[in-house]
Amino acid sequence: MNLQPTLVEIRQTLRDNIKEDTLNSKKRFFKEEVKLLGLSVAEVTKISKHFYQTIKDSPKEDIFALCDELWKSGYSEEAYMACHFSYYISRKYEPADFRVFERWVNEYVTNWATCDTLCNHSVGTIVEKYPEYIEELKKWAKSPNRWVKRAAAVSLIIPARRGLFLNDIFEIADILLTDTNDLVHKGYGWMLKAASQAHTEAVLTFVIDRKAVMPRTALRYTIEKMPADMKAEAMKK
């Protein structure tokens, strides 16, 4: 199925909904240069749901090809559309689709927002469905690319909230523990915070055992949802 007309229509719809004040406000959330059109996350989500109704019966490969074209533009809002479309077809995921997402992380992800949108949902879902790919996330954690390293952690946020993969989460956190980038610190801290919802004591022990070398940002993210007495224990010098 030729989805090129749909791509053209998506892009026109996005541009018809640009708001200058949204563009200016969103720029404040990024340290790096980011290509933005100027739409809210809610507006992009609404548009993606509308267009998904027109493509949902297309072959998965065609939907992925459409996503590729959206990613290639470099605009965050088009990347969000690609992330939504790929997640909407999660019931169709097969093991080989992990490599599609891996390529997107390596080739297209250039900021925390697109990293988290793709990895929280599409990557997290396929890893939960095919846990053997957690070993690949551990390889991502050793990448020289900060976004790939962050992706290794944030891909496990939702499984972590369900109490899954605790030992793997600790292993990835250990790989990333003393990384020099604060967005990597925040990524694995977020992963540990999610894990603490089901495994509070175990995560607290992990933190206490490593707090002498664990960056303060990662530590604070990790303990954010813990009871006050546990927070005090983790922060004690």
Side-chain angles (χ1 to χ4, degrees):
M1 184 180 294
N2 180 14
L3 295 180
Q4 185 63 29
T6 304
L7 176 63
V8 172
E9 193 176 351
I10 288 170
R11 285 179 166 156
Q12 187 59 55
T13 302
L14 288 171
R15 282 150 183 80
D16 287 345
N17 286 275
I18 289 174
K19 293 181 177 63
E20 193 65 29
D21 57 341
T22 301
L23 175 61
N24 293 331
S25 67
K26 286 173 75 72
K27 285 180 178 177
R28 295 185 290 108
F29 293 102
F30 300 94
K31 294 180 181 179
E32 60 280 332
E33 188 69 29
V34 176
K35 288 178 69 176
L36 296 164
L37 292 169
L39 289 85
S40 68
V41 172
E43 190 66 37
V44 175
T45 301
K46 179 181 175 182
I47 293 168
S48 71
K49 287 179 178 176
H50 167 76
F51 278 100
Y52 179 65
Q53 295 306 310
T54 71
I55 67 170
K56 64 181 181 180
D57 295 324
S58 303
K60 180 177 62 177
E61 292 70 23
D62 289 354
I63 294 176
F64 281 165
L66 174 63
C67 292
D68 251 310
E69 292 303 313
L70 289 164
W71 276 109
K72 285 175 185 176
S73 76
Y75 282 103
S76 286
E77 290 89 345
E78 293 197 22
Y80 301 152
M81 294 282 290
C83 294
H84 290 319
F85 289 156
S86 66
Y87 181 59
Y88 292 159
I89 58 172
S90 59
R91 289 184 180 180
K92 299 180 181 179
Y93 287 173
E94 300 169 283
D97 297 332
F98 180 87
R99 298 304 176 190
V100 175
F101 303 147
E102 182 175 53
R103 180 171 59 80
W104 291 352
V105 170
N106 279 283
E107 293 184 10
Y108 300 133
V109 168
T110 57
N111 61 70
W112 63 264
T114 53
C115 179
D116 297 357
T117 306
L118 174 63
C119 295
N120 280 176
H121 302 292
S122 293
V123 180
T125 299
I126 199 166
V127 167
E128 192 168 331
K129 191 173 183 178
Y130 303 108
E132 62 268 26
Y133 284 105
I134 291 178
E135 294 305 313
E136 298 302 309
L137 297 186
K138 294 171 188 176
K139 294 176 185 176
W140 291 12
K142 298 174 183 177
S143 170
N145 183 323
R146 60 176 167 165
W147 305 120
V148 178
K149 286 187 283 192
R150 182 180 172 98
V154 300
S155 293
L156 291 177
I157 299 294
I158 293 175
R161 287 175 183 159
R162 297 185 178 127
L164 301 175
F165 310 135
L166 183 63
N167 290 334
D168 299 297
I169 285 166
F170 284 160
E171 189 173 339
I172 288 171
D174 268 331
I175 294 168
L176 299 174
L177 192 68
T178 57
D179 193 85
T180 58
N181 189 274
D182 69 321
L183 288 170
V184 174
H185 301 165
K186 291 174 182 178
Y188 84 75
W190 185 15
M191 173 183 66
L192 289 170
K193 175 170 63 177
S196 76
Q197 293 178 222
H199 302 285
T200 311
E201 292 282 356
V203 174
L204 178 63
T205 298
F206 180 91
V207 168
I208 289 173
D209 288 348
R210 292 158 178 79
K211 67 179 180 178
V213 295
M214 191 176 192
R216 215 63 172 169
T217 300
L219 190 152
R220 289 184 182 278
Y221 263 66
T222 300
I223 66 174
E224 184 180 355
K225 300 290 187 181
M226 289 185 181
D229 60 328
M230 290 186 169
K231 285 184 182 180
E233 180 67 20
M235 297 297 291
K236 192 188 301 179
K237 292 185 179 180

